[in-house]
Amino acid sequence: MSDPLHVHFEDLEVGQVLNLGACAVDEAAVQLFVEHFAPGWDSAYGAPDALTYALWSRLASDKSAEWAQSKMLAVDGLRFLRNPPAGELLRGRMTVMGKDPVGDEKGIIIAQHDLLDEGGRLVFSCLTRGLFVRR
């Protein structure tokens, strides 16, 4: 499933877990983000929720560039469980929770996305609905 635009609706199965990659919480990025978007946030508490969301969003969009996904329809059920400290490595994963064909050309994939810290603890999660092209 690594060829660009070759992951279609039919290629994903309910229960399948996909690796979204990893990223580090960069100290300079945390400081810059706090300065510009979260004044008053003490970076000693770790990355603000909005930056954690941005890190997940980047991993998810980089991975989905390989998919025949025409549109992200929804991101909801956001849960922020902890603020990762600068220097921590976060891993992203996506679990396919459901599939709903929409006609002959499209289908909706319902998925849970998680960011996990180095110890495997949940940092962030959300539910998505993406519109995928059918073969």
Side-chain angles (χ1 to χ4, degrees):
M1 287 193 305
S2 62
D3 295 332
L5 301 180
H6 283 82
V7 177
H8 290 76
F9 177 79
E10 293 83 2
D11 299 326
L12 298 170
E13 299 296 328
V14 173
Q16 184 176 1
V17 178
L18 291 90
N19 177 8
L20 298 179
C23 66
V25 180
D26 180 77
E27 185 171 356
V30 171
Q31 294 301 329
L32 191 61
F33 188 91
V34 166
E35 180 182 322
H36 291 282
F37 301 108
W41 176 265
D42 185 347
S43 59
Y45 293 129
D49 291 348
L51 178 55
T52 301
Y53 178 88
L55 293 170
W56 162 76
S57 182
R58 179 61 189 259
L59 287 176
S61 66
D62 286 353
K63 184 67 173 185
S64 66
E66 303 173 358
W67 302 342
Q69 179 176 335
S70 60
K71 185 175 187 178
M72 181 69 76
L73 300 172
V75 178
D76 52 20
L78 280 69
R79 294 182 297 166
F80 297 90
L81 286 87
R82 60 184 289 270
N83 300 94
E88 182 143 70
L89 184 68
L90 301 176
R91 300 183 290 114
R93 72 178 177 200
M94 178 185 118
T95 304
V96 178
M97 305 297 286
K99 295 175 66 169
D100 188 15
V102 180
D104 293 334
E105 296 179 11
K106 298 177 184 173
I108 296 172
I109 297 291
I110 302 163
Q112 175 163 332
H113 291 250
D114 300 315
L115 273 182
L116 306 167
D117 67 14
E118 294 172 15
R121 296 171 297 190
L122 191 59
V123 170
F124 165 81
S125 72
C126 65
L127 295 172
T128 63
R129 286 168 194 78
L131 189 61
F132 279 72
V133 175
R134 294 184 70 179
R135 290 190 187 277

